[in-house]
Amino acid sequence: MEIRLDDLQGPEIAAMLQAHLDEMHRHSPAESVHALDLDALRVPEITFWTVWDEGVLLGCGALRELDAKHGEIKSMRTDERHRRRGVATVLLDHIIEEARRRGYARLSLETGTPAAFDAARLLYASRGFTLCPPFGDYREDPYSVCMSLAL
């Protein structure tokens, strides 16, 4: 597996992010979906990576700088054909390491509460993320949970 810094220009990533948005809307009401589209990801405070294997896009994820000491994980996604191969784990470890390299004191994320998000919550917990109150623009929501990791 190879992790690449991505410019969000390729058709493969556009398709993956659309599938991500579609899935989020299948499991949560629109007001509870916080996934970003391509344009929202193309801002200076977001760094975006993709994971590839022999020319095949396996997954993606991003790191948003909230402030000089706090980062947020965004757009974590593994293509459904490549799940349970460790793609998300490799990418999550990469993002955590990058957050540490940047000197962040905290790394946070928002994910869903429905059963479809169980694997994601378990992955984050396996790396030390714990439940936390909503941060940034997030609000209490029965379809949403925030997690954080002290770095």
Side-chain angles (χ1 to χ4, degrees):
M1 277 185 258
E2 175 191 0
I3 298 174
R4 300 179 192 166
L5 194 58
D6 197 290
D7 64 5
L8 296 158
Q9 299 298 320
E12 301 96 338
I13 194 58
M16 179 174 280
L17 288 171
Q18 187 58 56
H20 182 61
L21 286 168
D22 292 347
E23 185 173 3
M24 298 304 101
H25 283 280
R26 273 196 303 279
H27 299 292
S28 301
E31 65 273 10
S32 298
V33 174
H34 304 287
L36 301 176
D37 65 17
L38 274 171
D39 289 335
L41 288 164
R42 291 181 179 131
V43 296
E45 63 270 17
I46 295 180
T47 306
F48 193 87
W49 294 275
T50 47
V51 182
W52 298 81
D53 186 23
E54 298 184 14
V56 176
L57 177 61
L58 306 179
C60 64
L63 177 58
R64 175 193 297 187
E65 184 169 300
L66 298 174
D67 63 44
K69 293 293 180 184
H70 191 186
E72 177 185 9
I73 294 173
K74 295 296 293 180
S75 301
M76 285 285 292
R77 172 85 180 174
T78 300
D79 183 285
E80 61 188 26
R81 295 166 293 184
H82 303 287
R83 291 188 178 156
R84 298 184 197 11
R85 289 183 48 196
V87 175
T89 301
V90 167
L91 188 54
L92 179 58
D93 288 346
H94 178 82
I95 292 171
I96 292 169
E97 190 54 40
E98 176 63 15
R100 286 188 171 119
R101 189 193 67 72
R102 292 181 183 187
Y104 294 163
R106 179 161 305 284
L107 185 57
S108 300
L109 62 94
E110 177 277 334
T111 192
T113 58
F117 299 91
D118 287 352
R121 289 191 311 274
L122 286 170
L123 171 63
Y124 297 132
S126 78
R127 292 302 188 257
F129 285 83
T130 58
L131 296 177
C132 69
F135 61 94
D137 293 333
Y138 298 109
R139 301 291 172 253
E140 292 290 335
D141 180 341
Y143 288 91
S144 179
V145 63
C146 291
M147 301 178 81
S148 191
L149 175 67
L151 300 173

